[in-house]
Amino acid sequence: MLTGAGVSAPSGIPTFRGDEGLWRRHRAEDLATPEGFARDPRLVWEWYDWRRGLIAAAEPNAAHHVLARWQRRFQRCTIATQNVDGLHERAGADVLRLHGSIWRVACHRRCASSPRDWEDHRVPIEPLPPSCPYCGGLLRPAVVWFGEPLDTDVFAQAYEAAASCEVFLIIGTSAQVQPAASLWEHARRAGAFVIEINPTRTVASDDVDVSIQADAAHALASIDAALDAAADA
Ligand code: ZN
């Protein structure tokens, strides 16, 4: 399955492209690109610090819990997520983080003595912008910004899982951001049954086998209850 911001929305984490989405009020070019960071690292860090505070105060919702349970219940249940918030992991799931983690940082200039990236759970971060403990230069969030490539190993694992799955779920994402969106198209070509769960129609809606227009937490809780009932029958 591929999950996006809609899975965390019931936890109070704002989405990006919905009606109330962050990209309606903020410019992605300023806040989520290498160029924006080069122009104003403090502004970018204020935005990430604000989001870290929101996420730290939030809890995983029914959608995260159901998916974590399915991963224990079904064999080879892969969750690839576009979310950087870590809520899947807090619910006990093991996920492929396509866009990195808001709870990891890296040296902006990747100085020789620093690891590739590392955990950082400070909330709030002071002072802003934070500096690299290895070289004193700027730290950056270890997330994938617009214009940056995904981690090849992580994407290869997601692609492999998509190629060999029987059922592919697209949950809470407008399925627009490439190359993540190509995962379900790949799964469909390989013969998978594709189910979409999203509150509104998306570019994928006409091409999937089933499109469920609903909030992720409600839809997944209902499907989970139906699976339990079928197992008991
Ligand atoms: Zn450094």
Side-chain angles (χ1 to χ4, degrees):
M1 31 193 134
L2 172 67
T3 71
V7 169
S8 294
S11 293
I13 310 298
T15 61
F16 294 95
R17 290 185 172 71
D19 288 342
E20 301 289 313
L22 293 170
W23 296 149
R24 304 259 167 176
R25 284 178 285 137
H26 302 277
R27 284 161 46 91
E29 307 88 297
D30 291 337
L31 300 172
T33 63
E35 295 77 17
F37 188 75
R39 267 197 305 274
D40 194 343
R42 188 188 161 88
L43 176 72
V44 172
W45 265 115
E46 281 172 354
W47 147 259
Y48 279 92
D49 193 48
W50 170 71
R51 288 174 58 204
R52 285 163 62 112
L54 278 182
I55 295 162
E59 295 293 335
N61 64 64
H64 298 107
H65 289 300
V66 166
L67 296 181
R69 197 156 59 241
W70 287 358
Q71 206 170 39
R72 292 190 294 272
R73 179 171 176 173
F74 302 111
Q75 284 188 336
R76 297 191 61 227
C77 178
T78 304
I79 302 171
T81 188
Q82 298 174 333
N83 297 346
V84 298
D85 55 37
L87 291 175
H88 278 304
E89 295 92 322
R90 277 169 59 191
D94 185 19
V95 296
L96 295 173
R97 292 191 287 243
L98 296 172
H99 293 168
S101 167
I102 202 167
W103 300 112
R104 297 183 75 83
V105 295
C107 176
H108 182 233
R109 62 187 187 91
R110 306 216 176 275
C111 64
S113 40
S114 70
R116 205 176 90 124
D117 55 51
W118 63 93
E119 300 244 337
D120 183 323
H121 289 268
R122 288 175 289 167
V123 175
I125 292 179
E126 285 172 342
L128 289 177
S131 51
C132 171
Y134 299 92
C135 71
L138 278 173
L139 277 188
R140 61 161 285 172
V143 299
V144 179
W145 283 327
F146 292 105
E148 293 185 320
L150 302 194
D151 181 297
T152 4
D153 286 345
V154 172
F155 189 69
Q157 288 178 59
Y159 205 74
E160 167 63 33
S164 57
C165 72
E166 290 171 45
V167 179
F168 190 102
L169 284 94
I170 312 167
I171 310 167
T173 167
S174 52
Q176 284 178 28
V177 177
Q178 292 294 358
S182 67
L183 290 172
W184 73 266
E185 293 165 346
H186 186 55
R188 184 164 168 266
R189 279 195 302 275
F193 190 81
V194 182
I195 303 166
E196 171 190 66
I197 300 170
N198 203 58
T200 54
R201 288 182 64 78
T202 73
V203 291
S205 300
D206 284 336
D207 296 321
V208 298
D209 294 293
V210 174
S211 176
I212 301 170
Q213 279 176 56
D215 157 280
H218 286 117
L220 289 172
S222 303
I223 296 169
D224 191 49
L227 285 172
D228 279 346
D232 289 345

